[in-house]
Amino acid sequence: MERENEMKKLLSLLLACLMLVTMAACGSKEANNTPAAGNDEPAAEGKVFNIYAWNTEFKEFFEWYYLGSEPYLDTDGDGVKDAYFENAPGKHWVDEGVDFRWTIVPSDNGAYQEALDAALLNQENAAADDKVDMFLAEADYILKYVNEVVTQDAKALGVTDLSNTYKYTVEAASDTNGVMKGVSFQCCPSALIYKRSIAKDVLGTDDPAAVQEALSSWEKFDAVAADAKAKGYYMTPSFAETYRVFSNNTSSPWVDGNKNLQLDAAITAWMDQAEKYVAEGYTLTEGIWDAGKNEQMYAAGKTLCFFGPAWYFNFCMGPAHEDAMGDWAIVEGPEAHFWGGTWLLAPTGSDNNTILADIMNTFITNEEVLTNMVKVNAQFTNNQKVNGAVAADPEYGSEFLGGQNDTAIFCELAKNIKFQNQTIYDQYMNEGLQTYFVEYLKGTVSKEEAMSNFYKYVNEKFPAITVPAA
């Protein structure tokens, strides 16, 4: 373990050195895409476009709509996609011999970040076909990359039409000087997703307006949790189900300006709720992605409330689609919040800046592509005009949500998104606290031991952070 930690420290140090060296050296990289003196033509771009990501969600959209290389639509209802998107703006790159290569590394325990860091560390010396040309990042750690010189100015590449993007998505992708390093292809307001049949039994109604009124504060949420338990139901399927609602509404960051770890009142409020809900039998000790939680998504599941954005109930709630289609609806719940989002970032040193800018522009401005993503794939895009048009469409409704127009709901929720108190440490802190706190909830350690283990974990990952006394 000690050797592993030393290697991680060394990698971090080398990455920091790279960031400093690149400020002086990156000109040679960008020269690949700018005219040489006395030459009006830009240098030829590379024939291999490397993309780093942690799952295949965006890869599917990319292949369906940008390259048109995979079918995106089932036209005859047999469950097999058979139609290709004819107006895919990037298909000509494939015709010209460009090879789009993906490196997919799961994000658990920071594995994706570590793999990406190693690739960016080698960016200066990598062969042309091995250079990172675009990489994806989440809200929990995007600041780690946009505030360093391993990323470049996306506007300088030609990504300039931000007229319909959501403000927070631009803020999240911009450094402290306001330089935008990439774009998000989605906006991620998160909703309370409830099971209609259980709502009828517990609340006497499944009408979204009535359900929202019944769950509009944490006090009301707690009261309904007791009522649900009395009828044999769980309020939530996981001790961590409400975590993002609380963590998105903090008044202070995980780490202060003096590198001190701090537990915001919103975080401790979630800990209190998790402790109470497990003790009272209102929830399970399953993790967010555990199989035991997924079982609650089936028709036979006994859980009233889930929380998540459009990508969650469309990309992650597979069991809910299998035999409980239509038995769901969404409302805002006790507090407005967002969860995640995927940003496309521009790495310094790419030899494919023209393609890079074209991809980014496609996923924030191409209305045909984005409309398909909403209507066919039930996404909530980073384009207010497209979302607004679908929200106003009387013919549009989600089959999963029993005909409810989720886009209209998300358009309202998106107005309340706050990108605040973010740090470069958030993924590790958010995942680490849940990992160690559940050991206490399961009864395997005391609460004091759980927190002590969490603090030890923080110091292993970030020795410079001062943690509270155990």
Side-chain angles (χ1 to χ4, degrees), residues 163-166 364-365 367 370-371 374 380-392 407 411:
S163 58
N164 286 305
T165 57
Y166 290 89
I364 61 172
T365 65
E367 293 183 14
L370 298 176
T371 299
V374 177
F380 191 72
T381 72
N382 191 16
N383 186 296
Q384 297 182 62
K385 180 181 178 182
V386 167
N387 293 341
V390 177
T407 302
C411 280

Side-chain angles (χ1 to χ4, degrees), residues 27-182:
S28 62
K29 297 301 170 190
E30 295 183 1
N32 289 329
N33 302 115
T34 55
N39 182 3
D40 293 331
E41 296 296 325
E45 298 202 354
K47 292 299 184 181
V48 175
F49 193 94
N50 289 298
I51 308 169
Y52 274 66
W54 61 89
N55 64 23
T56 61
E57 179 192 23
F58 179 71
K59 182 175 183 289
E60 292 180 338
F61 297 133
F62 186 82
E63 292 171 344
W64 293 338
Y65 298 119
Y66 185 72
L67 297 184
S69 58
E70 295 292 334
Y72 77 104
L73 186 64
D74 174 13
T75 60
D76 55 15
D78 65 353
V80 178
K81 294 182 175 66
D82 54 14
Y84 290 81
F85 185 59
E86 295 182 357
N87 297 325
K91 67 170 58 177
H92 69 94
W93 296 118
V94 177
D95 295 338
E96 293 171 19
V98 177
D99 181 13
F100 292 89
R101 297 179 184 174
W102 291 80
T103 298
I104 308 292
V105 181
S107 61
D108 295 352
N109 299 313
Y112 171 64
Q113 289 187 60
E114 291 176 7
L116 177 60
D117 290 351
L120 294 176
L121 171 66
N122 192 49
Q123 184 85 329
E124 180 73 20
N125 299 315
D129 287 353
D130 296 327
K131 293 184 183 299
V132 183
D133 295 299
M134 184 175 77
F135 67 91
L136 279 53
E138 289 188 285
D140 279 354
Y141 54 83
I142 187 173
L143 297 182
K144 171 181 175 180
Y145 298 102
V146 301
N147 281 312
E148 302 295 347
V149 296
V150 294
T151 49
Q152 59 176 318
D153 185 348
K155 287 185 178 180
L157 304 182
V159 184
T160 57
D161 184 0
L162 307 175
S163 58
N164 286 305
T165 57
Y166 290 89
K167 182 180 178 182
Y168 91 95
T169 67
V170 177
E171 293 174 344
S174 300
D175 67 15
T176 54
N177 295 314
V179 177
M180 188 185 75
K181 303 295 190 68

Side-chain angles (χ1 to χ4, degrees), residues 305-325:
C305 300
F306 294 74
F307 286 82
W311 61 258
Y312 178 75
F313 63 74
N314 289 299
F315 191 68
C316 304
M317 290 184 71
H321 291 260
E322 291 182 28
D323 65 352
M325 181 67 75

Side-chain angles (χ1 to χ4, degrees), residues 288-343:
I288 289 294
W289 308 113
D290 288 352
K293 172 189 169 175
N294 291 340
E295 291 175 0
Q296 292 297 315
M297 299 175 185
Y298 287 106
K302 296 294 186 179
T303 296
L304 175 59
C305 300
F306 294 74
F307 286 82
W311 61 258
Y312 178 75
F313 63 74
N314 289 299
F315 191 68
C316 304
M317 290 184 71
H321 291 260
E322 291 182 28
D323 65 352
M325 181 67 75
D327 192 21
W328 304 90
I330 62 172
V331 293
E332 180 175 20
E335 288 186 274
H337 67 292
F338 78 98
W339 181 10
T342 299
W343 279 262

Side-chain angles (χ1 to χ4, degrees), residues 342-466:
T342 299
W343 279 262
L344 318 177
L345 295 185
T348 300
S350 167
D351 60 343
N352 284 293
N353 285 339
T354 300
I355 299 176
L356 177 58
D358 191 42
I359 294 170
M360 291 183 177
N361 283 323
T362 294
F363 285 97
I364 61 172
T365 65
N366 188 310
E367 293 183 14
E368 184 179 10
V369 167
L370 298 176
T371 299
N372 270 293
M373 288 177 64
V374 177
K375 290 192 170 183
V376 176
N377 310 112
Q379 290 293 298
F380 191 72
T381 72
N382 191 16
N383 186 296
Q384 297 182 62
K385 180 181 178 182
V386 167
N387 293 341
V390 177
D393 183 353
E395 301 299 318
Y396 176 76
S398 167
E399 181 183 2
F400 176 76
L401 300 175
Q404 186 183 26
N405 188 324
D406 55 323
T407 302
I409 303 297
F410 283 129
C411 280
E412 290 302 309
L413 300 188
K415 298 175 182 178
N416 300 318
I417 291 180
K418 297 173 288 187
F419 188 81
Q420 61 184 17
N421 299 316
Q422 305 292 128
T423 76
I424 65 175
Y425 313 104
D426 290 356
Q427 181 186 11
Y428 293 96
M429 302 305 180
N430 292 329
E431 292 180 359
L433 179 63
Q434 294 172 46
T435 296
Y436 291 100
F437 195 66
V438 74
E439 293 180 353
Y440 159 62
L441 299 178
K442 290 179 177 180
T444 57
V445 300
S446 68
K447 190 173 185 178
E448 292 72 22
E449 289 172 322
M451 296 310 296
S452 177
N453 291 338
F454 171 57
Y455 297 149
K456 289 176 183 177
Y457 160 83
V458 171
N459 271 160
E460 285 179 358
K461 293 291 186 181
F462 307 104
I465 293 177
T466 300

